[in-house]
């Protein structure tokens, strides 16, 4: 088989790494990929810039399967275009991708299908949003302000008071902090609790949830500072007890599947449930319609079942027959970023320690934002690399991950010291 993976980050490196373990997979192309492809002997990067080029490449190279990591292309309708050309592609069509591409659409979907979520209002006019906040009531703060469109995981602002809430609305709607993604916003009640990520596979007949994960979104320790694309993950998530998982399945996953069927959504792909576990129960914060980053990097190494088997069964609409099995271990992923991320950061710094990294079944290095220059690995993005370690306990996984990332050096490398604590 020949596989094409669409995307450039650590998630795409992890997907390629997992698929390369299947003997049927002979070649993996990653577009545009990163230098991590050099660490997989059957992988190769290709420069493709738009949907037409992806289709042309897939035809010319007899690609058997395309997997989309990037949410932007899903929202643009890459799946619909591939299908028109009789090309097999794993991901939601344009209609289903709206569940991620528009938070406003997703919230209305949740409300329609009685999926437990925070109360909310949607605004496309600045004055209406400000007027709503003026009448929100001091005792109801904090409040959450979200850009409705895609914002690379950074479009959610928790405002502690009226002043901060108005600033957030102004930044998003007037100053266009997230460009056109902020033309419409969602203002919703703040939920106090612990976040959880549950990735799942679906063929729209059934949803198969994977192991839970705990992402650490903020740049600073103890969840302080700016939102990022994710600073690290522990899996399984210690807050997802059997009771929590049962409530998630009953009140969120099951009605989501009913909603997909009622809306005539039909695709083979991923649904990522972003949850908040509160004293009042489990709530759905958001959907992502592709594998999460960096959750994928932590979860896939724990997967015992062959990933390609799961995907192939979904195309045959036989996902219900797959028994997904897991290693009885824990996983910790620590993300090393360039100093200054998620705002301005330097590129082109030499990375030391990649060649010396001793990879085995329990210790894996996934590259996110790095390239090769004059035989050196150098930084090329904000999130540079992910060190993922497995252990018999969460503590063992954490210790292994920090022991190994401590040996990787580049100018102003930064990583949180409290992932999974």
């Amino acid at each position: 088989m020949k596989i094409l993976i669409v995307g450039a980050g650590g998630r795409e490196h992890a997907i390629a790494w997992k698929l390369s373990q299947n003997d049927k997979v002979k070649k993996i192309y990653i577009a545009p990929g990163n230098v991590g492809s050099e660490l997989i002997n059957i992988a190769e990067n290709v420069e493709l810039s738009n949907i037409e080029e992806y289709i042309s490449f897939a035809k010319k190279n007899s690609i058997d399967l395309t997997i989309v990591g990037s949410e932007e292309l899903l929202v643009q309708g890459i799946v619909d275009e591939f299908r028109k050309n009789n090309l097999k592609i794993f991901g939601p069509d344009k209609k289903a991708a709206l569940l991620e591409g528009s938070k406003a659409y997703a919230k209305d979907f949740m409300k329609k299908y009685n999926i437990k979520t925070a109360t909310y209002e949607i605004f496309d006019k600045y004055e209406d949003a400000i007027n709503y906040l003026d009448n929100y009531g001091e005792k109801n703060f904090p409040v959450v302000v979200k850009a409705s469109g895609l914002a690379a995981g950074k479009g959610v602002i928790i405002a502690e008071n009226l002043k901060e809430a108005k600033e957030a609305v102004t930044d998003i709607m007037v100053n266009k902090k997230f460009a056109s993604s902020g033309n419409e916003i969602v203002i919703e009640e703040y939920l106090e609790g612990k976040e959880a990520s549950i990735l799942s596979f679906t063929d729209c007949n059934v949803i198969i949830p994977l192991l839970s994960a705990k992402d650490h979104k903020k740049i600073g320790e103890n969840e302080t500072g700016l939102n990022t694309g994710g600073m690290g993950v522990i899996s399984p998530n210690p807050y997802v007890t059997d009771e929590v998982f049962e409530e998630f399945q009953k009140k969120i996953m099951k009605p989501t599947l009913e909603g997909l069927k009622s809306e005539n959504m039909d695709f083979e792909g991923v649904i990522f449930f972003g949850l908040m576990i509160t004293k009042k129960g489990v709530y759905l914060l958001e959907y992502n319609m592709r594998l999460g980053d960096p959750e994928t990097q932590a979860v896939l190494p724990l997967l015992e079942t062959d990933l390609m088997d799961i995907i192939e069964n979904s195309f045959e609409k036989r996902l219900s027959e797959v028994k997904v099995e897991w290693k009885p271990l824990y996983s910790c992923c620590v993300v090393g970023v360039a100093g200054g991320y998620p705002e301005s950061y330097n590129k082109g710094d030499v990375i030391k320690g990649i060649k010396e990294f001793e990879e085995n079944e329990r210790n894996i290095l996934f590259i996110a934002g790095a390239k090769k220059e004059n035989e050196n690995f150098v930084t090329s993005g904000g999130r540079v690399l992910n060190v993922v370690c497995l252990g018999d306990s969460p503590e063992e996984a954490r210790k292994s991950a920090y022991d190994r990332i401590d040996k990787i050096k580049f100018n102003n490398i930064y990583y949180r010291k409290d992932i999974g604590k």
Side-chain angles (χ1 to χ4, degrees):
M1 290 185 78
K2 289 198 270 187
I3 313 289
L4 172 62
I5 298 171
V6 178
R11 163 184 52 207
E12 287 73 27
H13 183 182
I15 296 167
W17 168 84
K18 191 69 180 174
L19 290 174
S20 71
Q21 295 164 14
N22 183 304
D23 291 339
K24 288 190 294 189
V25 177
K26 296 298 178 210
K27 185 73 182 178
I28 300 172
Y29 297 98
I30 314 173
N34 61 51
V35 77
S37 60
E38 290 202 7
L39 309 178
I40 302 169
N41 60 6
I42 59 168
E44 177 188 331
N45 293 341
V46 285
E47 276 297 330
L48 303 170
S49 57
N50 57 49
I51 293 172
E52 290 73 27
E53 287 185 14
Y54 285 109
I55 290 169
S56 173
F57 181 86
K59 285 179 172 176
K60 203 177 288 181
N61 293 276
S62 305
I63 297 296
D64 296 290
L65 170 68
T66 298
I67 298 170
V68 188
S70 149
E71 57 269 37
E72 291 93 343
L73 286 167
L74 292 171
V75 170
Q76 286 170 29
I78 187 171
V79 170
D80 309 66
E81 297 306 315
F82 263 63
R83 283 177 171 179
K84 281 179 199 169
N85 286 274
N86 295 315
L87 294 165
K88 193 182 272 194
I89 184 164
F90 191 68
D93 59 13
K94 199 171 184 176
K95 186 179 178 184
L98 258 187
L99 287 169
E100 176 169 8
S102 167
K103 289 186 175 67
Y105 175 81
K107 292 295 284 191
D108 284 347
F109 177 93
M110 294 173 207
K111 189 176 184 178
K112 184 176 179 180
Y113 293 103
N114 202 26
I115 295 159
K116 197 168 173 182
T117 191
T119 58
Y120 69 97
E121 293 291 337
I122 296 165
F123 302 94
D124 59 8
K125 290 188 176 64
Y126 173 76
E127 294 76 16
D128 292 347
I130 294 297
N131 187 45
Y132 174 77
L133 288 170
D134 279 331
N135 296 293
Y136 193 67
E138 214 173 292
K139 68 180 191 317
N140 294 321
F141 283 92
V143 70
V144 184
V145 182
K146 297 179 174 180
S148 181
L150 297 176
K154 304 181 187 81
V156 177
I157 297 161
I158 297 167
E160 297 293 336
N161 50 50
L162 180 60
K163 179 175 175 284
E164 285 184 14
K166 285 183 171 181
E167 283 171 1
V169 171
T170 304
D171 270 353
I172 295 171
M173 297 191 88
V174 179
N175 301 334
K176 297 294 179 193
K177 186 175 182 180
F178 305 110
S180 61
S181 291
N183 290 349
E184 189 173 42
I185 65 167
V186 176
I187 299 178
E188 66 179 37
E189 73 169 311
Y190 172 75
L191 297 172
E192 180 111 27
K194 301 293 182 186
E195 284 194 51
S197 306
I198 297 185
L199 307 176
S200 67
F201 291 111
T202 187
D203 58 4
C204 290
N205 288 331
V206 67
I207 296 175
I208 304 287
L210 305 185
L211 272 187
S212 63
K214 173 83 179 77
D215 187 15
H216 299 64
K217 271 264 183 255
K218 302 278 190 180
I219 188 69
E221 280 155 34
N222 300 313
E223 289 304 300
T224 55
L226 295 171
N227 263 342
T228 71
M231 292 298 295
V233 174
I234 191 101
S235 182
N237 185 324
Y239 300 107
V240 179
T241 59
D242 289 347
E243 293 76 21
V244 165
F245 193 71
E246 202 173 299
E247 187 180 341
F248 153 72
Q249 288 185 297
K250 186 178 170 187
K251 295 188 176 172
I252 294 169
M253 192 181 90
K254 193 165 173 267
T256 294
L257 182 60
E258 286 163 10
L260 295 182
K261 289 176 177 176
S262 296
E263 299 291 330
N264 294 315
M265 293 181 188
D266 185 20
F267 65 93
E268 297 78 30
V270 171
I271 304 178
F272 169 135
F273 297 92
L275 308 177
M276 183 67 81
I277 304 160
T278 77
K279 287 174 183 169
K280 295 187 289 181
V282 183
Y283 289 77
L284 179 62
L285 295 177
E286 63 177 4
Y287 294 110
N288 290 341
M289 300 305 287
R290 34 77 201 181
L291 288 166
D293 186 339
E295 290 91 345
T296 301
Q297 292 91 300
V299 171
L300 285 188
L302 292 170
L303 181 62
E304 193 82 80
T305 307
D306 186 90
L307 177 59
M308 184 55 77
D309 286 349
I310 297 173
I311 292 171
E312 287 186 314
N313 270 277
S314 72
F315 280 107
E316 292 164 13
K317 299 293 185 188
R318 288 171 47 221
L319 200 49
S320 58
E321 296 172 27
V322 177
K323 187 168 175 12
V324 179
E325 295 182 329
W326 299 95
K327 294 171 184 165
L329 299 170
Y330 296 83
S331 169
C332 180
C333 166
V334 181
V335 180
V337 306
Y341 173 82
E343 297 189 298
S344 60
Y345 51 84
N346 202 34
K347 294 180 182 178
D349 291 314
V350 173
I351 307 166
K352 292 178 179 166
I354 290 180
K355 290 171 186 168
E356 295 75 23
F357 191 94
E358 290 178 19
E359 189 160 304
N360 56 42
E361 281 187 357
R362 289 198 174 200
N363 306 306
I364 311 135
L365 178 68
F366 295 126
I367 306 294
K371 60 182 183 179
K372 207 84 175 278
E373 270 181 15
N374 306 322
E375 292 308 300
N376 288 319
F377 289 94
V378 302
T379 64
S380 64
R383 290 189 294 172
V384 177
L385 46 82
N386 316 140
V387 170
V388 181
C389 293
L390 310 187
D392 293 313
S393 66
E395 294 73 26
E396 186 187 325
R398 285 188 76 249
K399 185 179 184 310
S400 292
Y402 281 109
D403 283 350
R404 279 157 183 80
I405 200 165
D406 283 346
K407 296 186 175 80
I408 293 173
K409 311 286 181 196
F410 58 84
N411 190 34
N412 288 326
I413 183 174
Y414 169 76
Y415 46 90
R416 280 179 55 169
K417 308 291 193 299
D418 64 343
I419 303 301
K421 221 170 186 179

